[in-house]
Amino acid sequence: MTKLSPSVLSADFAKLGADCRAVLDAGADMIHFDVMDGHFVDNLSFGLPVLEGLRKALPEAYFDVHLMITDPMRYVSRFAGAGANCITFHVEAASDISATIAAIRSLGCGAGLSLNPPTPAEALFPYLDGLSMILVMGVTPGHGGQAFQPSALEKIRALRAECERRGLHPDISVDGGVKYATTAPQCVEAGANVLVAGSAVFCAGDIGAAVREFKSL
Ligand code: DX5
Ligand code: ZN
């Protein structure tokens, strides 16, 4: 079954806990938590204290943390301590990818690896064994509400095929420009089983209805 991970980057920050509660009550499988450092990406978002607060408010939630930061190794233990369940970082951002994956796993979290639109799928092939999530970017990371780049579909296909060839079953997630009526079904058809959606969920008039539409895919 396809899982939905609403990205709180598009939530109403004045009522962040209530927005997270609304998507989980409507059937969302996890909460996608986008961390930006103004260096790996040009934008800043939120970080450890916000995750700590959400973890306290939502003790049963699964937090899918997406680190868009340079040198993620410096922060993985603090994000695990703040309540992350899965920590995803970028293959373009880390100096020692295998050590970062091992560190995340040793903290009891799932390890995820992401790749930007210009990065080929093959860049992830050496690391697939240790991953519980692969996060394919459908947009240049840094901002919600951008148009989906169709080149992501070929990368989802290539990564799913390589995982199957090797008997691996990580979640394959797609992030950026995912819309219920158009790009989401294409991503699922290509082999994605987790859909990250920010503006399509939190900017919808009825957040619960938007979640239920995605979950009907
Ligand atoms: C982009 C973030 C995404 C973003 C997606 O840098 O990683 O998670 O919130 O937003 P939408 O779904 O609006 O493209
Ligand atoms: Zn994200």
Side-chain angles (χ1 to χ4, degrees):
M1 215 234 261
T2 306
K3 295 186 252 189
L4 178 66
S5 189
S7 163
V8 292
L9 191 62
S10 291
D12 179 347
F13 295 155
K15 54 181 184 67
L16 189 51
D19 271 11
C20 289
R21 169 56 62 207
V23 294
L24 292 171
D25 285 351
D29 299 274
M30 49 189 117
I31 299 288
H32 186 85
F33 189 87
D34 282 307
V35 181
M36 301 180 183
D37 66 353
H39 185 263
F40 180 68
V41 293
D42 67 1
N43 203 2
L44 293 163
S45 59
F46 37 69
L48 293 158
V50 178
L51 182 59
E52 273 165 13
L54 287 176
R55 167 55 74 207
K56 274 194 199 117
L58 302 160
E60 76 296 355
Y62 187 99
F63 285 102
D64 163 32
V65 172
H66 178 192
L67 297 181
M68 288 163 276
I69 66 174
T70 301
D71 198 5
M73 181 67 117
R74 286 180 302 155
Y75 286 97
V76 292
S77 74
R78 279 177 275 177
F79 276 100
N85 297 94
C86 178
I87 300 177
T88 296
F89 66 99
H90 275 256
V91 70
E92 305 89 354
S95 48
D96 193 335
I97 293 157
S98 295
T100 308
I101 292 170
I104 294 169
R105 291 176 52 149
S106 76
L107 293 160
C109 294
L113 195 55
S114 184
L115 72 176
N116 283 342
T119 304
E122 291 73 20
L124 265 53
F125 285 6
Y127 312 106
L128 296 179
D129 280 332
L131 298 179
S132 49
M133 183 176 279
I134 291 166
L135 180 67
V136 177
M137 292 306 302
V139 300
T140 300
H143 300 271
Q146 303 178 73
F148 182 78
Q149 299 183 28
S151 59
L153 296 173
E154 270 321 301
K155 288 200 269 185
I156 294 169
R157 275 196 194 92
L159 285 157
R160 182 58 81 196
E162 181 65 11
C163 287
E164 277 178 7
R165 193 182 72 73
R166 289 159 59 172
L168 301 170
H169 305 284
D171 282 328
I172 298 188
S173 179
V174 56
D175 183 9
V178 176
K179 307 292 175 202
Y180 160 71
T182 52
T183 49
Q186 296 168 8
C187 293
V188 171
E189 188 276 327
N193 69 310
V194 180
L195 301 172
V196 176
S199 49
V201 169
F202 288 106
C203 302
D206 182 338
I207 291 175
V211 169
R212 286 187 288 276
E213 275 186 336
F214 273 104
K215 288 297 292 178
S216 71
L217 282 171

